[in-house]
């Protein structure tokens, strides 16, 4: 897989001009259509700007160019004259659960001719154009740039937030007689800066504003990586509308979600940790600095379950026969990439004992004005923080739900469900307060890229322009997902630090670090600097941020501290037990087919799954293992029934020694564990064995339509 990197394909542009204006809240209102494999609806964005976002000479001199090197073209909307809306006709009862339609509702399609998706454009743009700034395009208008890809944008309009009943409380006037742009922006400013204790009121007003009428269409255009919006006459970010509504739909080939089937063969769709994150699901500001909150209403057929990364345990609301809606929200500002959604015909696993106590705990621990006694000082922007809630800080097990396909219900009920509470308790004992009030666990389909969250290093960006746009180097390289060297090094670095400092000191620091930096964006330097500042001088032993970066990050190969360390696990009883078993198998493999009658049979010990992985890795180092030994291994440890990590090593042994009787195990692994199977495809092809290569090609043909796109691209390059 020695592929030369193509910057126009492999670099990922971040186009949003976050230095000028920031999204503070998203309100999504979406319909999921499995027949067309499209998600469509609206998104309302609430912005905040300030003095640092004012028009700068540099930003108005640059132009945003398309691949053809032409200036961006904007559709001129029809003149829209919106008189002051009589707020008495706009019901405050209009909520996010009150919808008359499901699926494709009555959308405003008057602007369908304004869809500028430029499908004829190439998938990549030259690196010199990635960081195009907010240009004036021949005028002095401010240009809003959002990260956007594979979306059909139908219309963009300003939202008349002044039409929401009761909204006058956010202004200096008891009655709104004359509504100006400045007044609307003032309302949005007051709304997005409400104190954390008023979070529920804030969400209600966000919902009301999201359904307020439009008060004028905005100019917009799209290119491969962005959506650009401007309003004639709005010359700065401060002048630009601070609440806009975008009507759009996703595309079946969009790279932010995967349409597939679950293990029971039922249709489902989910966000899968794509390299482009969520920009093919909704227009957003992609850079992590754009921390925002959100709320979303998602409608689907009543037979489906909608799960999202929200803070509430949503329940379906029946709209009409065969259709239901689900509403989730988040009050903790986070990057747009953390937004997740999954829709499918899943079953909720419930323990035999009633969870009424947990549910009561969830209700009692929901943030309220009485909860916030400000136990400590937090370093993040204000939000309803659990670290400031004394009851939440002592909650070891947060409320949780477990969902799975019907065919896996019994296995989850027997195994997974009972593991969740002790895992949550262990996390609390080590790291302290759970940052979120609840947890949903979903057993994802077989084609979910298990390394999907192993995204490119966000720090490795190119030039950051004055507008805030930048480039993630090699961010679109499909092989990047499978590169684990940095994760392995990270594991060994943490292990090295724990051994150097001692468990008590190290885990005490971890707890303090989480408490100090929760709710904030952090860098590796922050972690290391705080670590060194919080350990005794005698334990530092020449450790410094510079030395650690030199040895562990900037140097290739095995870091020097590991080379001088004694072999991992030398004093571990479990590892010693594995070593003894390895010796037994080596003896078994050396024995002739016909043995002496008095020769005793080897007695093998029962091993844990992690021990089995280590055992098989040791046996992989053996030059030859005969079929008799492999058959005995399979029967002794029931290898085809073990977990994926064990079966992966077992399949490697099968491939290395061409154990044809077990090729069925390899085929099963390639089809049921697709993300991990990528490595196995490589081993099958490198063997240069015709039968093994036939197995690889046959399995790929059977699964390529359901595989994750990055995985399919990498495997196709191996095979063809």
């Amino acid at each position: 897989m020695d592929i030369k990197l193509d910057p126009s394909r492999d670099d990922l542009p971040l186009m949003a001009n976050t230095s000028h204006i920031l999204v503070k809240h998203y309100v999504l209102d979406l319909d999921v259509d499995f027949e067309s494999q499209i998600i469509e609806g609206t998104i309302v964005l609430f912005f905040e700007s300030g003095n640092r976002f004012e028009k700068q000479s540099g930003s108005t001199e640059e132009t945003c160019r398309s691949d053809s090197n032409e200036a961006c073209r904007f559709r001129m909307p029809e003149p829209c004259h919106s008189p002051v809306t009589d707020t008495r006709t706009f019901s405050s009862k209009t909520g996010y659960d009150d919808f008359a339609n499901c699926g494709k509702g009555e959308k405003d399609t008057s602007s369908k001719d304004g869809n500028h998706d430029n499908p004829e454009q190439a998938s990549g743009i030259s690196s010199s154009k990635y960081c195009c700034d907010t240009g004036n395009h021949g005028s002095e208008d401010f240009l809003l740039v959002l990260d956007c890809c594979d979306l059909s944008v139908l219309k963009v309009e300003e939202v008349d937030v002044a039409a929401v009943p009761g909204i006058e409380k956010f202004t200096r006037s008891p009655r709104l007689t004359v509504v100006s742009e400045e007044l609307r922006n003032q309302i949005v400013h007051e709304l997005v800066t409400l104190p954390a204790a008023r979070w529920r009121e804030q969400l209600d007003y966000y919902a009301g504003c999201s359904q307020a009428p439009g008060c004028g269409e905005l100019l917009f255009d799209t290119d491969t990586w962005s959506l650009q919006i401007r309003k004639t006459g709005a010359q700065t970010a401060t002048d630009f509308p601070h609440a806009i509504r975008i009507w759009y739909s996703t595309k079946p080939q969009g790279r932010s979600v995967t349409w597939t089937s679950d293990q029971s063969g039922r249709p489902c769709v989910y966000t899968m940790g794509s390299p482009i994150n969520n920009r093919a699901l909704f227009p957003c500001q992609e850079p992590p600095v754009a921390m925002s909150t959100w709320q979303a209403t998602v409608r689907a057929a009543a037979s489906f379950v909608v799960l999202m990364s929200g803070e509430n345990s949503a329940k379906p609301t029946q709209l009409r026969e065969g259709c239901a809606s689900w509403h989730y929200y988040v009050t903790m500002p986070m990057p747009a990439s953390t937004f997740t959604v999954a829709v499918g015909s899943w079953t909720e696993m419930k323990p035999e004992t009633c969870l009424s106590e947990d549910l009561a705990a969830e209700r009692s621990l929901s943030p309220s004005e009485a909860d916030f006694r400000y136990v400590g000082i937090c370093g993040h922007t204000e939000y309803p923080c659990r670290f400031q809630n004394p009851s939440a800080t002592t909650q070891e097990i947060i409320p949780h739900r477990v969902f799975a396909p019907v065919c896996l219900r019994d296995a989850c009920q027997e195994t997974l469900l009972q593991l969740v509470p002790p895992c949550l308790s262990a996390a609390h004992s080590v790291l302290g307060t759970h940052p979120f009030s609840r947890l949903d666990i979903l057993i994802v389909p077989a084609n979910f890229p298990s390394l999907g969250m192993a995204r490119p290093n966000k720090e490795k960006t190119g030039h950051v322009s004055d507008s805030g746009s930048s480039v993630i180097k090699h961010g679109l390289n499909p092989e990047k997902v499978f590169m684990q060297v940095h994760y392995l090094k990270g594991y060994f670095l943490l292990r090295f630090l724990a051994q150097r400092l001692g468990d008590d000191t190290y885990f005490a620091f971890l707890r303090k670090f989480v408490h100090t930096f929760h709710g904030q964006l952090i860098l590796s330097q922050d972690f290391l600097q705080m670590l060194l500042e919080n350990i005794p001088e005698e334990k530092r032993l020449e450790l410094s941020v510079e030395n650690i970066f030199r040895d562990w990050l900037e140097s290739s190969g095995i870091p020097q501290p590991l080379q001088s360390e004694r072999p991992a696990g030398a004093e571990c009883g479990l590892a010693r037990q594995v070593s003894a078993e390895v010796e037994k198998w080596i003896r078994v493999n050396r024995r002739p087919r016909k043995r002496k009658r008095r020769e005793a049979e080897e007695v093998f010990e029962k091993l844990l799954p992690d021990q089995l992985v280590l055992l098989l890795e040791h046996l992989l180092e053996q030059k030859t293992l005969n079929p008799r030994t492999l058959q005995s291994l399979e029967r002794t440890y029931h290898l085809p029934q073990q977990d994926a990590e064990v079966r992966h090593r077992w399949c490697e042994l099968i491939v290395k020694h061409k154990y044809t009787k077990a090729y069925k195990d390899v085929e099963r692994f390639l089809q049921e564990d697709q993300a991990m199977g990528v490595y196995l495809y490589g081993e099958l092809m490198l063997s240069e064995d015709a039968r093994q290569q036939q197995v690889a090609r046959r399995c790929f043909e059977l699964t390529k339509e359901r595989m994750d796109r990055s995985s399919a691209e990498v495997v196709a390059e191996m095979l063809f």
Side-chain angles (χ1 to χ4, degrees), residues 396 424-432 434 507 511:
E396 294 185 13
L424 289 172
S425 180
H428 182 273
S429 67
V430 174
L431 301 176
H434 292 287
F507 287 118
R511 193 180 183 100

Side-chain angles (χ1 to χ4, degrees), residues 377-380 387 511-518 520 530:
I377 299 175
C378 295
H380 54 69
F387 286 76
R511 193 180 183 100
K512 182 177 181 180
F513 179 81
V514 170
H515 189 275
T516 302
F517 285 102
H518 69 274
Q520 302 174 62
M530 183 176 175

Side-chain angles (χ1 to χ4, degrees), residues 538-557:
E538 63 271 14
K539 290 190 176 183
R540 294 188 188 181
L541 300 177
E542 300 181 357
L543 285 178
S544 68
V545 175
E546 293 75 18
N547 291 345
I548 293 173
F549 267 66
R550 182 196 64 211
D551 295 340
W552 294 86
L553 180 63
E554 297 168 355
S555 302
S556 61

Side-chain angles (χ1 to χ4, degrees), residues 548-601:
I548 293 173
F549 267 66
R550 182 196 64 211
D551 295 340
W552 294 86
L553 180 63
E554 297 168 355
S555 302
S556 61
I558 300 175
Q560 184 60 39
L562 283 186
Q563 295 181 23
S564 57
E565 192 182 76
R566 285 189 300 175
E571 297 181 355
C572 173
L574 294 176
R576 285 199 302 270
Q577 185 181 15
V578 170
S579 297
E581 297 304 296
V582 170
E583 292 300 322
K584 293 178 185 177
W585 284 108
I586 292 175
R587 289 197 296 269
V588 168
N589 189 59
R590 289 173 178 169
R591 287 173 181 168
R593 181 178 294 273
K594 294 183 178 180
R595 295 177 297 151
K596 298 178 181 179
R597 291 186 177 181
R598 295 182 181 178
E599 195 171 0
E601 292 282 347

Side-chain angles (χ1 to χ4, degrees), residues 249 253 291 400 461 562 660:
S249 64
Q253 70 273 21
M291 306 270 277
H400 51 276
T461 58
L562 283 186
T660 57

Side-chain angles (χ1 to χ4, degrees), residues 17 49 64 99 125 141 191-192 229 239 300 316 365 372 390 448 469 495 512 652 664 670 706 711 720:
N17 52 338
S49 64
C64 180
F99 295 92
I125 54 180
D141 293 336
L191 179 57
V192 301
I229 305 168
D239 302 330
L365 292 179
F372 295 100
F448 186 91
S469 61
R495 179 177 167 276
K512 182 177 181 180
E652 287 182 294
K664 63 183 184 302
L670 292 177
R706 294 179 283 114
S711 302
F720 308 107

Side-chain angles (χ1 to χ4, degrees), residues 157-304:
E157 64 181 358
E158 181 179 357
V159 177
D160 187 8
V161 295
V164 178
I167 204 74
E168 59 273 6
K169 70 165 64 176
F170 298 120
T171 70
R172 300 182 183 90
S173 305
R175 297 189 62 183
L176 303 181
T177 54
V178 179
V179 177
S180 63
E181 189 73 70
E182 183 180 1
L183 179 63
R184 294 191 186 97
N185 287 354
Q186 178 195 343
I187 291 172
V188 174
H189 171 74
E190 296 296 330
L191 179 57
V192 301
T193 56
L194 278 178
R198 297 173 65 182
W199 66 274
R200 191 174 293 280
E201 176 189 9
Q202 186 182 48
L203 287 178
D204 289 341
Y205 273 104
Y206 277 139
C209 290
S210 72
Q211 298 181 25
C215 56
E217 290 191 40
L218 302 177
L219 304 164
F220 75 92
D221 192 26
T222 61
D223 59 23
T224 305
W225 293 111
S226 69
L227 167 63
Q228 305 120 31
I229 305 168
R230 68 181 178 92
K231 178 179 180 179
T232 303
Q235 298 184 9
T236 69
T238 302
D239 302 330
F240 189 80
H242 282 30
I244 66 171
R245 180 185 292 114
I246 302 172
W247 302 74
Y248 76 99
S249 64
T250 64
K251 296 180 179 180
Q253 70 273 21
R255 287 168 282 175
S256 290
V257 297
T258 292
W259 300 86
T260 186
S261 300
D262 65 17
Q263 291 87 335
S264 295
R266 299 180 178 182
C268 63
V269 61
Y270 58 84
T271 48
M272 73 296 191
S274 165
I276 67 167
N277 293 330
N278 288 319
R279 67 181 72 184
L281 178 59
F282 60 92
C284 59
Q285 288 184 331
E286 183 69 17
V289 69
M291 306 270 277
S292 59
T293 54
W294 58 264
Q295 61 198 100
T297 297
V298 178
R299 290 175 293 278
S303 60
F304 290 103

